[in-house]
Amino acid sequence: MRLSNDKVMIVPFEPQLHAPLLYRCCHSGKYDLPLLSITECMNLKEAFAIVNPTNPSEVYGVVVLRNKDEISRRCEVHVFIIEEYQKNGIIQEAGKFMIYYIMNCMNYYKVIMQAREDNTAADTAIKNFGCELEGVLKHHLYSNGEFHNL
């Protein structure tokens, strides 16, 4: 199955190629990402890179599937877009492919997405995927010395 169009291409996460970039982003101070070690970046499972379809070495971001529940047929999707590619519709395009893949190829029933309450761009993207707000996780994420709602 092809997960690409003229704007994005989704490829399996290749640790040797993609982990150093993810590690640098985690430790740059620009993003609200957990401080993953290089070993944790190298050992990501169920991860995909979002790349430029005409130049796959140009990485736009990463998608990680977590907390997969085979019995209830659900999983969480975590998307990270590199700053210079944000607000270009990349998350919309990549999200469509990932949701299609999860629902149709993995045969899952539910996709869970979380965003910080103050991240209006992510909130808009999530709503555009057709997701519904099920609730607010109060003080669920600790980042930069503060707790944040998701």
Side-chain angles (χ1 to χ4, degrees):
M1 178 178 71
R2 182 179 156 180
L3 297 175
S4 68
N5 60 18
D6 61 341
K7 194 164 189 171
V8 299
M9 182 167 60
I10 309 295
V11 298
F13 185 85
E14 295 180 35
Q16 297 295 332
L17 182 62
H18 302 122
L21 173 69
L22 182 58
Y23 177 81
R24 283 192 305 275
C25 289
C26 286
H27 293 271
S28 70
K30 293 181 181 179
Y31 309 99
D32 257 340
L33 293 172
L35 294 178
L36 299 174
S37 69
I38 191 65
T39 304
E40 290 169 318
C41 291
M42 296 287 287
N43 291 327
L44 279 179
K45 303 290 185 228
E46 295 290 338
F48 303 85
I50 307 165
V51 300
N52 180 335
T54 58
N55 179 12
S57 64
E58 184 179 5
V59 179
Y60 296 148
V62 175
V63 178
V64 180
L65 307 183
R66 299 205 46 215
N67 298 324
K68 291 173 34 182
D69 184 338
E70 300 285 335
I71 295 169
S72 297
R73 312 300 307 153
R74 67 174 177 248
C75 71
E76 293 177 12
V77 176
H78 300 268
V79 181
F80 162 69
I81 304 295
I82 296 171
E83 186 177 44
E84 64 236 42
Y85 302 112
Q86 292 176 2
K87 297 184 174 128
N88 292 326
I90 289 171
I91 195 166
Q92 289 297 124
E93 296 299 320
K96 285 190 279 187
F97 285 126
M98 289 311 303
I99 291 171
Y100 178 87
Y101 175 78
I102 293 165
M103 302 295 266
N104 295 293
C105 298
M106 295 175 67
N107 196 29
Y108 275 37
Y109 175 76
K110 186 176 192 176
V111 176
I112 301 166
M113 297 181 162
Q114 299 173 357
R116 269 186 43 176
E117 197 171 50
D118 59 350
N119 188 342
T120 56
D123 185 52
T124 300
I126 290 170
K127 286 178 182 170
N128 287 340
F129 296 143
C131 294
E132 298 174 7
L133 177 65
E134 288 192 352
V136 175
L137 300 171
K138 301 241 182 223
H139 309 288
H140 196 72
L141 174 71
Y142 185 77
S143 175
N144 296 327
E146 297 179 341
F147 284 98
H148 301 276
N149 295 343
L150 294 180

